[in-house]
Amino acid sequence: MSAPAEPTARDRKRWAQYLVNERAEAEVYRSLASRRDGEEREILLELADAEGRHEAHWLGLLGGEPARLPRADAGTVVLGWMARRFGSIFVLALAQNAEARSPYETDPFATPTMAADEKIHHEVVRGLAARGRRRLSGTFRAAVFGANDGLVSNLALVLGIGATGVGGPFVLFSGLAGLLAGALSMGAGEFVSVRSQRELLDATEPSNFADHVLPDLDLDANELALVYRTRGMSATDALERARSIVSHAQKADRSVPYRREVEAADDHEVVGGAWGAALSSFLFFASGAIIPVLPWLFGLSGLPAVLLALLLVGVALMSTGAAVGLLSGGPPLKRALRQLAIGFGAAAITYALGLLFGVSVG
């Protein structure tokens, strides 16, 4: 595609903006690559090179480097700043969203190849982000659930008790008791849950139980293929795999017991560690549960304490909701507002029950 004979000033301004954005996005990928190694580093560097091809396209339309260039979009600038300093899963999640918003599909001066590239980039970044999510999922899940449970349950507790008309010290000690009881319960429950999941996975994964007898099997008459069929292989593939395994085992040195390494499943990585999940659940529940108690802890009581608690918890709920939205590749604001509505809804119900209980007692 070539530029029109007399491109408008608006066209050139848009091309220049595309140019600086492509350069900024390439720098984001290079910054992320500098914090990684192996295959992930290579993938990120190739993405940076692809952004360079798009940059060359806009340079060609502009007829060379313009004398003055605009600043990159604010979102891309922030993304680059985060990539240089953190290089975290959050940056990849943001980059995934940015690739999904590419304007090339509707811009008449962008080639179909460039529009297709951006969609593929979105899937590549999504795949990289998914790797990070799998590494984080177990502990992060416990942390987010713990923090939100602490925020909502203790806010509901202190508001419900406060609505009955009791004094500030009673509300404070009730909140601290709720914090400790909830944190211990969450930690213990998460430990049992994750440990049980890992034990279940251990029981369902392939094992090396019968590997030492493989060299003694008859190559043409054995049941090893049935083992692979129970693991989901077709009859043909299972038979081929069984013959290969037995043949290899029979050719091995008979003086050394044959050991075949079983392919490890990645489910353990998704579930996470029991101690890590329990500890993070305990700490994050406690960190969430202390927030509604802070106004009473610093001597406030009555309506001012309630309003400040609502403000603090609202900010925290929206922050955790936005974080989950970023990591999942969804819209952060929508997830933040959803968390806020759920948390405040639960607190409102408990507060209403507290008012009712206080009136009935009075």
Side-chain angles (χ1 to χ4, degrees):
M1 180 177 296
S2 60
E6 294 293 336
T8 66
R10 179 177 295 180
D11 288 334
R12 297 185 64 85
K13 182 179 180 180
R14 189 175 69 255
W15 299 341
Q17 188 67 60
Y18 288 156
L19 173 64
V20 296
N21 286 343
E22 292 288 2
R23 287 177 176 174
E25 288 172 11
E27 187 58 33
V28 168
Y29 292 133
R30 292 191 187 96
S31 297
L32 289 172
S34 68
R35 295 175 175 270
R36 286 167 168 75
D37 52 25
E39 185 181 38
E40 288 192 10
R41 176 184 173 85
E42 294 176 5
I43 291 172
L44 288 164
L45 290 176
E46 288 191 27
L47 285 175
D49 291 341
E51 302 295 357
R53 295 197 303 270
H54 298 175
E55 174 190 341
H57 172 81
W58 300 118
L59 272 176
L61 289 182
L62 289 165
E65 186 76 17
R68 296 181 60 184
L69 287 172
R71 288 179 57 84
D73 291 341
T76 309
V77 172
V78 172
L79 200 59
W81 182 86
M82 293 178 64
R84 289 190 296 273
R85 286 161 177 79
F86 305 109
S88 69
I89 178 62
F90 286 99
V91 180
L92 284 171
L94 288 170
Q96 173 187 332
N97 290 335
E99 293 287 2
R101 295 191 300 267
S102 172
Y104 291 168
E105 195 167 9
T106 58
D107 193 297
F109 293 96
T111 67
T113 299
M114 293 169 63
D117 284 348
E118 294 298 307
K119 290 188 177 295
I120 296 300
H121 293 177
H122 173 267
E123 290 302 312
V124 173
V125 177
R126 179 175 179 169
L128 291 174
R131 291 185 177 187
R133 292 184 186 110
R134 283 193 293 270
R135 290 192 290 266
L136 281 175
S137 60
T139 302
F140 181 77
R141 174 180 57 85
V144 170
F145 287 171
N148 278 280
D149 283 352
L151 286 165
V152 175
S153 64
N154 234 26
L155 176 66
L157 176 64
V158 297
L159 292 187
I161 292 176
T164 64
V166 299
F170 189 85
V171 176
L172 172 62
F173 287 119
S174 297
L176 293 177
L179 182 157
L180 184 59
L184 289 172
S185 176
M186 285 289 295
E190 196 65 36
F191 179 86
V192 172
S193 174
V194 174
R195 176 58 65 87
S196 299
Q197 289 182 66
R198 294 179 70 87
E199 289 172 351
L200 181 61
L201 289 173
D202 285 336
T204 57
E205 285 179 354
S207 72
N208 291 317
F209 175 75
D211 282 2
H212 65 286
V213 301
L214 291 177
D216 299 321
L217 291 177
D218 187 313
L219 182 62
D220 298 314
N222 64 74
E223 289 74 45
L224 184 59
L226 299 180
V227 174
Y228 296 112
R229 290 176 67 180
T230 65
R231 297 177 187 173
M233 285 189 180
S234 67
T236 302
D237 291 342
L239 182 60
E240 183 179 348
R241 178 69 179 274
R243 289 183 61 85
S244 175
I245 291 293
V246 173
S247 176
H248 180 70
Q250 290 177 347
K251 293 176 183 177
D253 185 357
R254 290 303 186 98
S255 64
V256 180
Y258 175 74
R259 295 290 294 171
R260 175 179 55 87
E261 294 299 326
V262 175
E263 296 179 1
D266 62 355
D267 292 332
H268 282 278
E269 188 178 11
V270 174
V271 171
W275 282 109
L279 181 60
S280 63
S281 183
F282 176 91
L283 293 177
F284 278 87
F285 183 97
S287 66
I290 193 63
I291 292 176
V293 185
L294 288 177
W296 286 272
L297 190 63
F298 287 100
L300 294 178
S301 61
L303 184 59
V306 170
L307 294 177
L308 182 57
L310 288 172
L311 175 63
L312 294 175
V313 171
V315 171
L317 285 172
M318 292 191 69
S319 299
T320 57
V324 172
L326 287 175
L327 281 178
S328 63
L333 181 59
K334 182 179 179 180
R335 303 294 172 86
L337 293 176
R338 184 180 67 182
Q339 293 286 92
L340 184 66
I342 293 173
F344 276 14
I349 293 172
T350 311
Y351 186 73
L353 291 174
L355 284 175
L356 179 64
F357 181 75
V359 170
S360 64
V361 170

Short mmCIF file of all heavy atoms in Angstrom, two decimals, residues 133-139 141 197-198 266-272:
data_model
loop_
_atom_site.label_atom_id
_atom_site.label_comp_id
_atom_site.label_asym_id
_atom_site.label_seq_id
_atom_site.Cartn_x
_atom_site.Cartn_y
_atom_site.Cartn_z
N ARG A 133 0.11 -16.96 34.65
CA ARG A 133 -1.07 -17.21 35.47
C ARG A 133 -1.03 -18.60 36.07
O ARG A 133 -1.45 -18.80 37.21
CB ARG A 133 -2.33 -17.05 34.62
CG ARG A 133 -2.60 -15.63 34.17
CD ARG A 133 -3.92 -15.54 33.42
NE ARG A 133 -4.12 -14.21 32.86
CZ ARG A 133 -4.07 -13.92 31.58
NH1 ARG A 133 -3.82 -14.87 30.69
NH2 ARG A 133 -4.26 -12.69 31.16
N ARG A 134 -0.54 -19.59 35.31
CA ARG A 134 -0.45 -20.94 35.86
C ARG A 134 0.53 -21.00 37.02
O ARG A 134 0.30 -21.70 38.00
CB ARG A 134 -0.03 -21.92 34.76
CG ARG A 134 -1.16 -22.30 33.82
CD ARG A 134 -0.79 -23.50 32.96
NE ARG A 134 0.28 -23.19 32.04
CZ ARG A 134 0.10 -22.74 30.80
NH1 ARG A 134 -1.12 -22.51 30.37
NH2 ARG A 134 1.12 -22.50 30.02
N ARG A 135 1.63 -20.25 36.91
CA ARG A 135 2.60 -20.24 38.02
C ARG A 135 2.03 -19.56 39.25
O ARG A 135 2.37 -19.90 40.38
CB ARG A 135 3.89 -19.55 37.57
CG ARG A 135 4.70 -20.33 36.55
CD ARG A 135 6.08 -19.73 36.38
NE ARG A 135 6.05 -18.46 35.70
CZ ARG A 135 6.21 -18.30 34.39
NH1 ARG A 135 6.41 -19.35 33.62
NH2 ARG A 135 6.20 -17.10 33.84
N LEU A 136 1.16 -18.58 39.04
CA LEU A 136 0.62 -17.81 40.16
C LEU A 136 -0.69 -18.36 40.70
O LEU A 136 -1.07 -18.03 41.82
CB LEU A 136 0.35 -16.36 39.71
CG LEU A 136 1.52 -15.40 39.63
CD1 LEU A 136 1.04 -14.08 39.06
CD2 LEU A 136 2.14 -15.18 40.99
N SER A 137 -1.38 -19.17 39.89
CA SER A 137 -2.80 -19.41 40.15
C SER A 137 -3.09 -19.94 41.53
O SER A 137 -4.03 -19.48 42.19
CB SER A 137 -3.36 -20.36 39.09
OG SER A 137 -2.67 -21.60 39.13
N GLY A 138 -2.32 -20.93 42.02
CA GLY A 138 -2.65 -21.51 43.32
C GLY A 138 -2.54 -20.52 44.46
O GLY A 138 -3.49 -20.26 45.19
N THR A 139 -1.35 -19.92 44.60
CA THR A 139 -1.14 -18.98 45.69
C THR A 139 -1.92 -17.71 45.49
O THR A 139 -2.48 -17.14 46.44
CB THR A 139 0.36 -18.66 45.81
OG1 THR A 139 1.08 -19.89 46.04
CG2 THR A 139 0.63 -17.73 46.97
N ARG A 141 -4.76 -17.32 43.90
CA ARG A 141 -6.17 -17.58 44.18
C ARG A 141 -6.43 -17.50 45.68
O ARG A 141 -7.39 -16.86 46.13
CB ARG A 141 -6.56 -18.96 43.65
CG ARG A 141 -7.97 -19.39 44.01
CD ARG A 141 -8.27 -20.77 43.43
NE ARG A 141 -7.31 -21.75 43.88
CZ ARG A 141 -7.41 -22.40 45.04
NH1 ARG A 141 -8.40 -22.13 45.86
NH2 ARG A 141 -6.50 -23.29 45.37
N GLN A 197 -6.04 -31.84 47.05
CA GLN A 197 -5.98 -31.81 45.59
C GLN A 197 -4.68 -32.43 45.09
O GLN A 197 -4.68 -33.19 44.11
CB GLN A 197 -6.09 -30.37 45.09
CG GLN A 197 -7.47 -29.76 45.27
CD GLN A 197 -7.53 -28.36 44.71
OE1 GLN A 197 -7.41 -28.14 43.51
NE2 GLN A 197 -7.69 -27.38 45.59
N ARG A 198 -3.58 -32.11 45.73
CA ARG A 198 -2.29 -32.65 45.29
C ARG A 198 -2.22 -34.16 45.51
O ARG A 198 -1.66 -34.90 44.70
CB ARG A 198 -1.15 -31.95 46.02
CG ARG A 198 -1.03 -30.46 45.67
CD ARG A 198 0.10 -29.81 46.42
NE ARG A 198 1.38 -30.27 45.94
CZ ARG A 198 2.05 -29.75 44.91
NH1 ARG A 198 1.53 -28.73 44.25
NH2 ARG A 198 3.20 -30.22 44.54
N ASP A 266 1.33 -30.91 34.58
CA ASP A 266 1.49 -29.55 35.09
C ASP A 266 0.36 -29.16 36.03
O ASP A 266 0.26 -28.02 36.44
CB ASP A 266 1.56 -28.55 33.94
CG ASP A 266 0.29 -28.53 33.10
OD1 ASP A 266 -0.61 -29.36 33.37
OD2 ASP A 266 0.21 -27.68 32.20
N ASP A 267 -0.51 -30.13 36.42
CA ASP A 267 -1.62 -29.80 37.30
C ASP A 267 -1.14 -29.36 38.67
O ASP A 267 -1.76 -28.53 39.32
CB ASP A 267 -2.55 -31.00 37.45
CG ASP A 267 -3.29 -31.31 36.15
OD1 ASP A 267 -3.50 -30.35 35.38
OD2 ASP A 267 -3.64 -32.47 35.92
N HIS A 268 -0.03 -29.92 39.14
CA HIS A 268 0.51 -29.51 40.44
C HIS A 268 0.86 -28.03 40.43
O HIS A 268 0.68 -27.32 41.42
CB HIS A 268 1.75 -30.34 40.79
CG HIS A 268 1.42 -31.72 41.28
ND1 HIS A 268 1.05 -31.98 42.58
CD2 HIS A 268 1.38 -32.91 40.64
CE1 HIS A 268 0.83 -33.28 42.74
NE2 HIS A 268 1.02 -33.86 41.57
N GLU A 269 1.40 -27.58 39.31
CA GLU A 269 1.77 -26.17 39.19
C GLU A 269 0.53 -25.29 39.26
O GLU A 269 0.56 -24.20 39.85
CB GLU A 269 2.51 -25.95 37.87
CG GLU A 269 3.11 -24.57 37.73
CD GLU A 269 3.87 -24.42 36.43
OE1 GLU A 269 3.75 -25.29 35.56
OE2 GLU A 269 4.59 -23.42 36.30
N VAL A 270 -0.57 -25.75 38.69
CA VAL A 270 -1.81 -24.97 38.71
C VAL A 270 -2.39 -24.92 40.11
O VAL A 270 -2.85 -23.88 40.58
CB VAL A 270 -2.83 -25.58 37.73
CG1 VAL A 270 -4.16 -24.88 37.85
CG2 VAL A 270 -2.30 -25.48 36.30
N VAL A 271 -2.36 -26.05 40.81
CA VAL A 271 -2.94 -26.10 42.15
C VAL A 271 -2.12 -25.29 43.14
O VAL A 271 -2.64 -24.60 44.00
CB VAL A 271 -3.05 -27.58 42.61
CG1 VAL A 271 -3.45 -27.65 44.08
CG2 VAL A 271 -4.04 -28.32 41.74
N GLY A 272 -0.79 -25.35 42.99
CA GLY A 272 0.07 -24.61 43.92
C GLY A 272 0.47 -25.47 45.11
O GLY A 272 0.07 -26.63 45.25
#
